[in-house]
Amino acid sequence: MEQKYTKQVLLLVIVTIILGLIFLIPFYFIIINSLKSFAEILLNTAAWPKEFQWHNYVEAWKRLKYPRVFLNSLIITVFSNLAIVLFSSMAAYRLVRTPNRVSKIIFFLFISAMVIPFQSIMIPLVQVTSQIGLINSIPGIIIMYLGFGAGFSVFLYHGFIKSIPREIEEAAIVDGCSSFCVFWHIVFPLLKPITVTIIILNSLWIWNDFLLPLLVLQDQNLRTIPLATFFFFGQYTKQWDLALAALILGIIPLLIFFFFLQRHIIKGITAGSIK
Amino acid sequence: MNEQSDIAAMNYTKKYAFIGAFLSTLFMGLGQLYHRQYVKGVLYFLLEVYVLVFWTNPFMYAMWGFITLGETPQKRLRGKIVEQGDHSIFLMIEGIIFLLLFIIFLFVYYSNIRDAYKTGRLREKGKVVSTFKKTLHNVWENGYAYLLLTPSIIFTIFLTVLPLLFGILLAFTNYSGPYHLPPKSLVDWVGFKTFIDLFHLKTWSKTFYGVLTWNAIWAVVATVSTYFMGLIYAVIINHKKIKLKRFWRSIYILPWAMPAFISLLAFRNIFNGEFGPLNQYLQAVGLEGIPWLSDPFWARFALIVVNLWLGFPYWMALMSGVLTGIDKEMYEAADVDGASASQKFWKLTVPMVLFATAPLLIMSFAHNFNNFNVVYFLTQGKPVNVEYSYAGSTDILISWIYKMTLEQNQFNMAAAVSILVFVIVAPISIWNFSRTKAFKEEDMIQ
């Protein structure tokens, strides 16, 4: 009996490890081959590199204009997040605290904006936004992220604010706090958990977003990391050594972000799974 | 006696509300002037005068453009533009913007009438009509809330509602290459012709039904396969004898840490038929290489495998949460009753997990139905299918739409297909939202 049990466990451990290895194979290929010379890749893709070709990375870094695109990505992500959190928290707060027909209509508007698949409005969007001059500018794309992100964030805030008892605010009003003061000093600090979730979800989305920057940021100097990586990959599609090094450079910042905030991210994604 | 005077008063005073509303309908602000709310009345009056004087002509022009979509085509002489001509698409967008503004104006007009009516009712009851100062105070008290909302609303409207309306309307035009592309040539309204073509013209209908069928199969297989793979992994790493649970969990969520398209580009290389590692191995073992991305069947197979890799960690993370949440006592009770391991799994674990995650399964179906990234970055819809117009064998509707718009200038057909995709997916999303916390007051069972 005892022996059978350990056998089962051993089997289970082996299965776990094998499944894990199968899962990790793609990572192995990317990392290993990014450190080989091109001739070596053609010879054997799976072998360990004879000599680490670090200069692949140096070359990719230069040709990607890495600092430039990193900064673009950073600016877009940070300011879009600020705008989304600022506007959607206030919006959701007002919608929850003034329950009437107009609020319901507005809330419905936000939700219906979330339901629309991006690809089906993408072309009209480009035509409309180029007419109002939002194309090819970083502030322009930030405004667009606000427009696309507000619906979902309002939705998450809305659900959260509902659970905050009104009495706290009423007490503050009695103490002579104005409406703005109530929001910024009482309500907003209480929203911290959901704000963290919203920032993480939006950061992952905006940082990784590919289609919107592709459509909106045509100027080479405005490219974000995913966009630059994609074009680089297309350009050097036969030069795997550089292309794979560029892919890894594209992943690294997020990987770092990810390992620091792992627990929040898992929580956030499962909370945001309704999207 | 008393009753009579009441009725008389009613009959007499009823006119306040009625006359006020009537005057305000005639011209904004007249009702308010009649109620002796001079400042408000004059402001309303001036607003209508301003709109009539400055916006009538632009509005009429916009409506002309919206209805005709332009009348003068661009004229060229020896390749040079002699006359700019009308740009149908700009005229159309302008028309939509003016219509939206007109609706807002109508709303203001309506609130002016309602205000005159309400003030009239106040006078009927013999109450004091509020002064302008007080009105201003009221507006600030109740209205500033909506002031906070305006930025989000404006951006949402301009970025989603406006393009959506525009997209829907496009389906009813002939906006497509090569003959109807502004600014070179004009676009016209054609009614339901695009839809009729889509269903009855052989080149279109064959593509549509072919792509739709694969799209449906894809959505079902992709959802079910990731779901069960997630379940298997979750059960294994949550087994009480497995150590390093956190380590395994962190490994499996690695795909979240990178943009999907980067993993997909890497996979495109791995599956490459000529020099991809996968085929190198098959050949090393002595097997023939498989034309992964150039044969329709294998390309679809590759899509599903890659999607499995990308998609199961989500379910695994979700189900791990559910599994740790299951009451241990249930298993103990099952042990007492002498249940075997497989019985416990099928009769306890699976139903519990299914119960908690089934609604998300439907959401995931909707997501996979429109999973543009996987298709576009892995196969780009290829291999080419000669029987299809502008689509390949692995294209799903949304990637077909993308190709028609960005690569082929078939805007009207793309718009028509978008509407159909929307009709398929929207009910699922709406259903999903209607069962969430925001709509129901009671908390969900986690």
Side-chain angles (χ1 to χ4, degrees):
Chain A
M1 187 70 199
E2 190 69 56
Q3 216 196 342
K4 193 187 159 203
Y5 198 59
T6 45
K7 252 186 197 165
Q8 265 187 359
V9 172
L10 190 70
L11 191 75
L12 202 67
V13 170
I14 292 171
V15 169
T16 317
I17 291 172
I18 289 176
L19 284 178
L21 284 180
I22 293 174
F23 176 77
L24 288 174
I25 282 176
F27 292 102
Y28 173 78
F29 274 119
I30 305 179
I31 295 168
I32 285 306
N33 288 320
S34 72
L35 288 167
K36 289 181 192 167
S37 70
F38 187 58
E40 212 183 328
I41 294 179
L42 285 186
L43 211 66
N44 189 348
T45 36
W48 193 257
K50 284 188 199 107
E51 201 182 330
F52 290 123
Q53 306 284 337
W54 292 111
H55 68 86
N56 284 349
Y57 282 84
V58 178
E59 198 61 22
W61 173 286
K62 270 191 223 149
R63 295 201 201 170
L64 269 177
K65 293 189 192 135
Y66 200 74
R68 169 90 253 160
V69 294
F70 179 81
L71 199 65
N72 287 340
S73 274
L74 193 68
I75 290 173
I76 293 174
T77 310
V78 168
F79 284 96
S80 304
N81 261 315
L82 279 180
I84 291 174
V85 165
L86 185 74
F87 287 119
S88 55
S89 62
M90 292 196 295
Y93 174 65
R94 278 340 304 182
L95 287 179
V96 175
R97 289 295 183 245
T98 35
N100 57 25
R101 204 146 39 109
V102 184
S103 297
K104 258 197 184 144
I105 294 171
I106 294 172
F107 187 57
F108 186 76
L109 175 85
F110 282 127
I111 289 199
S112 43
M114 289 165 58
V115 175
I116 303 163
F118 177 70
Q119 282 84 8
S120 57
I121 55 162
M122 140 184 100
I123 300 312
L125 175 83
V126 172
Q127 269 156 340
V128 171
T129 46
S130 68
Q131 226 175 5
I132 37 183
L134 292 181
I135 267 202
N136 245 336
S137 88
I138 286 190
I141 202 172
I142 290 172
I143 287 178
M144 288 189 212
Y145 278 125
L146 172 61
F148 289 119
F152 183 54
S153 306
V154 166
F155 176 75
L156 286 181
Y157 272 127
H158 194 277
F160 194 85
I161 293 172
K162 267 189 174 175
S163 63
I164 296 178
R166 221 181 169 138
E167 287 76 28
I168 309 172
E169 292 158 51
E170 274 156 11
I173 292 171
V174 171
D175 290 348
C177 207
S178 74
S179 301
F180 279 98
C181 147
V182 168
F183 181 73
W184 289 114
H185 291 263
I186 313 285
V187 180
F188 194 70
L190 288 174
L191 297 180
K192 201 179 147 200
I194 194 78
T195 306
V196 171
T197 303
I198 285 174
I199 289 179
I200 284 175
L201 285 178
N202 285 331
S203 303
L204 284 177
W205 160 54
I206 294 169
W207 186 277
N208 285 341
D209 192 25
F210 172 78
L211 258 187
L212 190 64
L214 176 72
L215 296 169
V216 172
L217 302 174
Q218 282 128 5
D219 189 342
Q220 277 207 15
N221 288 321
L222 298 178
R223 280 182 185 162
T224 59
I225 290 184
L227 210 55
T229 318
F230 178 76
F231 281 114
F232 188 85
F233 200 83
Q235 210 175 338
Y236 294 87
T237 190
K238 292 273 148 66
Q239 259 179 288
W240 281 22
D241 44 347
L242 290 184
L244 291 176
L247 281 194
I248 294 196
L249 284 178
I251 304 171
I252 285 174
L254 203 72
L255 218 53
I256 295 168
F257 175 76
F258 198 79
F259 274 106
F260 279 110
L261 293 168
Q262 197 188 337
R263 193 175 301 168
H264 289 289
I265 292 173
I266 297 180
K267 225 169 64 189
I269 292 183
T270 38
S273 57
I274 23 146
K275 192 175 184 180
Chain B
M1 181 68 195
N2 211 349
E3 246 175 40
Q4 258 182 357
S5 70
D6 261 7
I7 292 165
M10 283 280 278
N11 278 338
Y12 172 69
T13 49
K14 218 172 197 173
K15 284 176 184 162
Y16 279 136
F18 179 74
I19 293 175
F22 176 74
L23 285 173
S24 273
T25 314
L26 272 186
F27 206 93
M28 278 171 85
L30 286 187
Q32 280 76 6
L33 290 174
Y34 169 73
H35 295 317
R36 298 193 200 105
Q37 295 178 303
Y38 297 113
V39 184
K40 193 155 78 175
V42 167
L43 281 179
Y44 266 129
F45 189 84
L46 286 179
L47 178 70
E48 183 165 348
V49 170
Y50 166 75
V51 169
L52 282 179
V53 170
F54 289 97
W55 292 98
T56 307
N57 277 336
F59 182 75
M60 297 313 278
Y61 175 75
M63 286 306 103
W64 163 84
F66 187 69
I67 291 162
T68 63
L69 293 182
E71 285 165 344
T72 20
Q74 196 174 67
K75 277 187 192 143
R76 283 163 186 252
L77 244 153
R78 287 193 214 101
K80 274 186 187 165
I81 297 167
V82 186
E83 201 184 315
Q84 210 27 268
D86 295 323
H87 192 301
S88 306
I89 294 309
F90 289 168
L91 286 174
M92 193 164 144
I93 295 175
E94 214 180 299
I96 299 170
I97 293 176
F98 269 89
L99 276 178
L100 285 177
L101 291 176
F102 185 65
I103 290 170
I104 294 171
F105 179 70
L106 280 185
F107 182 76
V108 174
Y109 209 112
Y110 166 75
S111 61
N112 139 68
I113 297 169
R114 215 174 77 137
D115 175 71
Y117 182 79
K118 274 196 168 168
T119 327
R121 292 293 289 196
L122 273 184
R123 284 178 72 189
E124 278 166 23
K125 286 176 191 158
K127 284 180 186 158
V128 187
V129 174
S130 57
T131 60
F132 182 63
K133 220 174 163 184
K134 205 170 163 216
T135 314
L136 214 61
H137 185 71
N138 276 344
V139 167
W140 176 248
E141 276 291 291
N142 301 316
Y144 102 98
Y146 292 104
L147 216 66
L148 294 182
L149 280 167
T150 26
S152 324
I153 294 174
I154 289 173
F155 292 133
T156 309
I157 288 180
F158 265 88
L159 292 170
T160 50
V161 179
L162 182 61
L164 188 70
L165 285 177
F166 178 58
I168 292 172
L169 289 172
L170 274 188
F172 301 94
T173 66
N174 58 6
Y175 183 20
S176 60
Y179 301 116
H180 298 283
L181 284 182
K184 240 177 131 179
S185 44
L186 293 174
V187 172
D188 285 309
W189 295 108
V190 293
F192 283 92
K193 188 175 173 300
T194 318
F195 289 93
I196 294 168
D197 285 353
L198 179 62
F199 291 115
H200 292 290
L201 221 61
K202 198 110 194 254
T203 47
W204 287 115
S205 69
K206 192 153 194 181
T207 319
F208 177 68
Y209 290 123
V211 172
L212 181 65
T213 312
W214 159 239
N215 201 157
I217 295 171
W218 153 257
V220 171
V221 175
T223 311
V224 172
S225 62
T226 47
Y227 187 79
F228 280 100
M229 190 61 99
L231 182 63
I232 290 170
Y233 273 76
V235 168
I236 288 178
I237 62 168
N238 277 287
H239 192 278
K240 50 183 182 287
K241 291 284 170 182
I242 292 291
K243 301 234 162 63
L244 302 168
K245 285 189 171 54
R246 276 197 59 193
F247 165 77
W248 289 112
R249 228 170 285 169
S250 336
I251 287 216
Y252 289 127
I253 52 171
L254 267 179
W256 289 352
M258 44 174 152
F261 86 91
I262 287 195
S263 339
L264 290 166
L265 291 179
F267 271 112
R268 202 201 276 180
N269 274 4
I270 290 173
F271 278 108
N272 190 305
E274 292 164 46
F275 45 90
L278 209 56
N279 270 357
Q280 275 189 9
Y281 275 104
L282 288 177
Q283 279 155 358
V285 183
L287 293 168
E288 237 173 273
I290 292 171
W292 290 110
L293 301 179
S294 46
D295 176 80
F297 172 79
W298 288 111
R300 289 174 177 188
F301 181 80
L303 269 180
I304 286 168
V305 170
V306 170
N307 186 64
L308 193 58
W309 187 86
L310 281 171
F312 88 85
Y314 163 74
W315 290 114
M316 188 215 67
L318 209 67
M319 288 165 178
S320 293
V322 176
L323 285 175
T324 45
I326 295 179
D327 201 343
K328 294 279 181 301
E329 281 176 22
M330 280 210 246
Y331 286 102
E332 280 160 21
D335 281 335
V336 172
D337 290 346
S340 70
S342 77
Q343 271 177 329
K344 276 190 280 182
F345 178 74
W346 288 108
K347 298 270 161 75
L348 255 182
T349 314
V350 173
M352 291 294 277
V353 172
L354 261 178
F355 177 75
T357 52
L360 293 170
L361 201 57
I362 294 165
M363 225 22 230
S364 161
F365 174 82
H367 167 76
N368 278 322
F369 194 87
N370 273 339
N371 202 335
F372 174 82
N373 279 0
V374 174
V375 173
Y376 188 74
F377 290 114
L378 191 70
T379 66
Q380 292 181 300
K382 285 171 191 159
V384 178
N385 189 329
V386 283
E387 291 184 334
Y388 286 177
S389 353
Y390 314 117
S393 299
T394 55
D395 262 320
I396 57 175
L397 291 173
I398 203 84
S399 62
W400 184 36
I401 292 170
Y402 179 88
K403 282 183 180 172
M404 279 196 282
T405 41
L406 278 196
E407 293 161 16
Q408 307 293 344
N409 292 334
Q410 300 296 319
F411 299 102
N412 58 344
M413 195 54 83
V417 179
S418 296
I419 292 176
L420 295 175
V421 169
F422 188 67
V423 168
I424 295 169
V425 175
I428 300 176
S429 309
I430 291 167
W431 168 83
N432 181 57
F433 283 118
S434 64
R435 58 164 195 91
T436 50
K437 220 183 193 174
F439 279 94
K440 291 181 189 167
E441 283 300 328
E442 66 272 8
D443 283 355
M444 272 193 310
I445 307 155
Q446 286 296 329

